Amino acid sequence: MASLPVRQREEGEARVGEDGFKVFGGEMKKDFLFAPEWTNLNHGSYGTIPRAIQAKHRSYQDDIEARPDPFIRFEHARLTDESRAAVASVVNAPVEAVVFVNNATEGVNTVFRNIKWDADGKDVALYFSTVYESCGKVIDFLYDYHGEGRLSSREIEIAYPIEDDEILRRFRETVKRVEGEGKRAKICIFDVVSSRPGVVFPWERMVAACRELGVLSLVDGAQGIGMVRLDLGAADPDFFVSNCHKWLFTPRGCAVFYVPVRNQHLLPSTLATSHGYASLTGKRSGPPAKQDAAKSFFVNNFEFTGTRDYSPSFCVKDAVAYRRDVLGGEERILAYLWDLNKKGSRLVAERLGTEVLENSKGTLTNCAMANIALPLWRGEKGADEGKEGDVVVAAEDGDRVVVWMMSTMARDYNTIVPMFWLGRRFWVRMSAQVYLDLGDYEYGAETLGKLVERVGKGEYKSAGDG
C-alpha cells in the first residue's frame, strides 16, 4: 500500500514572534534535526535536541579532544558544577543535593544496590504494576542475588483509568497488609509520569504518604523534567531521578539525580563503584587527592566515575538557557505542551471514533503525553464496547500485531508511536512538543486509521513470510 504523502520541511530557522521568543508549532521543526520526511510523534521515548544544543555539544567534544588532560582534570568539574546549578534552579532543589547520572535506570539502580537490607529478611520493596520494566527488574535481580529470606517485594495492582485517591488507598492498604504480616515496607518506587500508559502519577501525594508511613520514596521521574512542574524542595522525596535527555533538550544520556543531604550517607557507592568510594575495610579508604575539599562526599563521588563522555551533562546549563532565552521559559513551554497534548489527543480520538485515557478529574493528561484507544481489539469485543466495524484480531496475535504496526508505521509512514494493549483494547501514546501542532496530530490520526484498516485485512499475518 502506498504511504501518505511526504511533507517537505522548509529551509531556514523558525521565526521569532512579537514577544521575542520562537513561534511554537510546525515552524519549530526548522530548528531541529529531523529528516525532511519524518514526523516525530514520540518525543517521550528518546527525546531529541535543537540544532543550537547540538552545536554546544560538539563544541565541548572538540574542546576535550583538543587538550584532553587539562580539560578532563580541570574543566570537567567547573562545567559540571555550572550545569548542576542550572538544573537545580529548574527543579527547585539545593545544589548540594543534585548530581548527574547517565539515565533514570542508572539512578534507580544506584539507590536499590546501595540500600542495606536487614538480615532478618523482613524488608519489603513496593512497586506498582505500571513500574517501568527495567526498574522492576532491578528488584527481581536483588531478590535473585540475595536469595530467599533477605528481602521480598510486593506489587500494587492498578489498572487505568483510575482515580488518584484510589492509587493512594491501595498503597496505604498494602503497607498495612505488609505490617500485619510482621514485615516492614522499606522502600516504594513510583513514577512522575508512567510510561505505558503515559499518564501523570500522583507522585507528590505518594511522597507525602511514604513520609507519613515511614517508607523511603524513590521517584522514577524518567518522564519528568521539561514536561511537568517539579518542586523538589516542596515535595521532598527521599530519592528522585529524571532524564534530561527526554524533555529538557540535552543530548543522550543525562539524568539529574536528587538525593537530599539527610539520605546521602545511604549511597556510599556510585554505579559502577569508582574513585569516590571510601572503603571501610581496605587500604583504599581515602578519597582521591583531586577531590575538592569544599564539596561534600556525595558531590565528589558522582562528579567523575571513570572515563566516559560527560559532554551531555555539560549541555544541561545550555539547554536551560536555551529554553529560557529562546523559547520563553519553562512556563511558556509547559503551557503549550499541555494544551497541545489535550487538544491533539482529543482530535485523534475523534477521528478514530475512540477515546482518550483519562480519569474523572482530568489529571492523567496534565503533561505532554496522552494515550488514545484504537478501534482494534484482541480476542473479542463486548457488545457494549467500541463501535460497529472495529477490528478484532486473535488473542494469540496480540504481540505480533504490535510489532507489525510499529515497524510498518516507521517504514511506510515515516513516524512512530508506542503501541500496547490495555486488557483487550489496543492503545497508542502520543507526545506533544514545541515543534508539533494539530496538523501533526491530523497526520497521526490518518496514519493510525490506515494501519488499523491494514490489520483488518490481515497484512500482519504475512509479515516475514517467504
Side-chain angles (χ1 to χ4, degrees):
M1 177 179 287
S3 63
L4 296 178
V6 170
R7 295 178 295 161
Q8 298 296 326
R9 300 279 186 262
E10 297 179 18
E11 299 296 328
E13 292 186 6
R15 63 187 175 88
V16 175
E18 294 182 358
D19 59 2
F21 302 116
K22 291 286 181 139
V23 175
F24 293 161
E27 178 80 11
M28 279 296 297
K29 292 185 181 75
K30 299 175 184 176
D31 288 8
F32 285 78
L33 297 154
F34 305 119
E37 68 278 5
W38 183 256
T39 299
N40 206 55
L41 297 175
N42 182 29
H43 188 99
S45 283
Y46 306 111
T48 193
I49 56 174
R51 297 180 187 276
I53 300 304
Q54 182 197 51
K56 291 286 188 180
H57 187 208
R58 289 180 172 176
S59 176
Y60 291 128
Q61 292 176 323
D62 289 346
D63 289 346
I64 294 169
E65 301 310 322
R67 303 175 74 225
D69 266 68
F71 190 101
I72 294 171
R73 293 178 186 277
F74 309 122
E75 291 299 299
H76 167 91
R78 177 182 64 81
L79 291 169
T80 301
D81 287 345
E82 290 176 358
S83 280
R84 288 176 49 238
V87 78
S89 69
V90 175
V91 299
N92 188 33
V95 177
E96 62 269 22
V98 170
V99 293
F100 294 113
V101 291
N102 285 320
N103 51 58
T105 302
E106 182 177 321
V108 169
N109 269 265
T110 302
V111 174
F112 272 119
R113 295 182 189 234
N114 273 279
I115 291 293
K116 292 184 177 180
W117 308 97
D118 198 286
D120 64 10
K122 295 181 179 180
D123 288 336
V124 180
L126 305 181
Y127 64 94
F128 288 84
S129 55
T130 51
V131 67
Y132 190 61
E133 188 169 88
S134 69
C135 296
K137 286 189 174 182
V138 179
I139 300 174
D140 295 341
F141 166 79
L142 289 172
Y143 182 86
D144 294 342
Y145 180 82
H146 289 290
E148 185 74 27
R150 188 71 179 193
L151 76 152
S152 59
S153 63
R154 190 70 54 87
E155 179 180 82
I156 305 171
E157 181 69 33
I158 57 175
Y160 285 96
I162 189 172
E163 304 300 324
D164 292 349
D165 288 346
E166 179 62 15
I167 291 174
L168 270 292
R169 187 190 70 79
R170 294 188 188 187
F171 168 69
R172 290 178 179 277
E173 278 193 351
T174 302
V175 173
K176 184 177 180 180
R177 193 176 305 117
V178 166
E179 292 175 344
E181 297 169 0
K183 298 182 178 182
R184 69 181 72 87
K186 176 88 168 184
I187 188 170
C188 183
I189 181 172
F190 48 90
D191 304 315
V192 171
V193 178
S194 299
S195 176
R196 287 192 304 272
V199 293
V200 175
F201 197 84
W203 70 276
E204 292 160 307
R205 293 179 61 189
M206 274 293 303
V207 168
C210 283
R211 186 183 309 114
E212 175 192 339
L213 299 175
V215 181
L216 290 171
S217 56
L218 170 51
V219 185
D220 175 12
Q223 306 277 4
I225 189 169
M227 62 108 75
V228 295
R229 295 178 183 86
L230 298 175
D231 188 340
L232 300 187
D236 196 27
D238 289 306
F239 307 99
F240 182 99
V241 63
S242 188
N243 286 326
C244 298
H245 60 250
K246 282 188 183 284
W247 297 92
L248 199 68
F249 297 149
T250 68
R252 308 172 196 94
C254 173
V256 55
F257 185 35
Y258 164 86
V259 181
V261 173
R262 69 175 182 275
N263 289 334
Q264 291 176 3
H265 70 284
L266 298 176
L267 306 182
S269 175
T270 55
L271 189 71
T273 300
S274 191
H275 298 289
Y277 182 69
S279 173
L280 299 178
T281 57
K283 62 182 179 180
R284 292 169 293 275
S285 59
K290 63 177 285 188
Q291 289 195 345
D292 188 340
K295 296 178 183 177
S296 69
F297 163 79
F298 175 74
V299 173
N300 273 321
N301 202 11
F302 283 85
E303 185 174 277
F304 187 83
T305 58
T307 303
R308 62 175 177 84
D309 185 4
Y310 292 88
S311 56
S313 59
F314 301 156
C315 292
V316 170
K317 63 183 178 59
D318 303 303
V320 171
Y322 173 85
R323 292 166 68 86
R324 180 188 65 236
D325 301 335
V326 179
L327 302 186
E330 297 302 313
E331 284 302 315
R332 182 173 185 260
I333 296 168
L334 293 183
Y336 184 83
L337 298 188
W338 289 25
D339 182 66
L340 179 61
N341 183 45
K342 290 176 181 290
K343 290 179 179 176
S345 57
R346 285 199 300 268
L347 181 153
V348 174
E350 289 170 2
R351 296 289 189 274
L352 296 173
T354 61
E355 61 184 302
V356 177
L357 187 64
E358 187 57 282
N359 60 19
S360 65
K361 296 183 179 179
T363 61
L364 299 184
T365 56
N366 286 340
C367 60
M369 297 194 301
N371 311 273
I372 304 111
L374 296 193
L376 179 59
W377 300 79
R378 175 175 59 181
E380 62 178 348
K381 178 175 71 72
D384 59 344
E385 295 176 314
K387 64 182 189 302
E388 187 177 352
D390 283 2
V391 173
V392 180
V393 299
E396 61 269 21
D397 287 349
D399 291 342
R400 188 177 181 184
V401 167
V402 172
V403 173
W404 182 86
M405 287 187 70
M406 290 190 69
S407 61
T408 302
M409 194 176 196
R411 183 187 65 244
D412 292 357
Y413 303 100
N414 283 297
T415 189
I416 200 168
V417 292
M419 301 178 175
F420 51 94
W421 297 97
L422 285 180
R424 290 180 291 104
R425 194 163 201 180
F426 200 85
W427 294 78
V428 299
R429 189 191 77 192
M430 298 182 73
S431 300
Q433 193 45 271
V434 296
Y435 51 72
L436 298 175
D437 54 34
L438 289 178
D440 296 296
Y441 280 83
E442 291 268 12
Y443 181 79
E446 185 178 356
T447 298
L448 291 167
K450 288 179 176 291
L451 279 170
V452 172
E453 180 183 347
R454 293 174 66 176
V455 169
K457 294 177 180 178
E459 289 189 35
Y460 70 93
K461 295 180 182 179
S462 60
D465 291 350

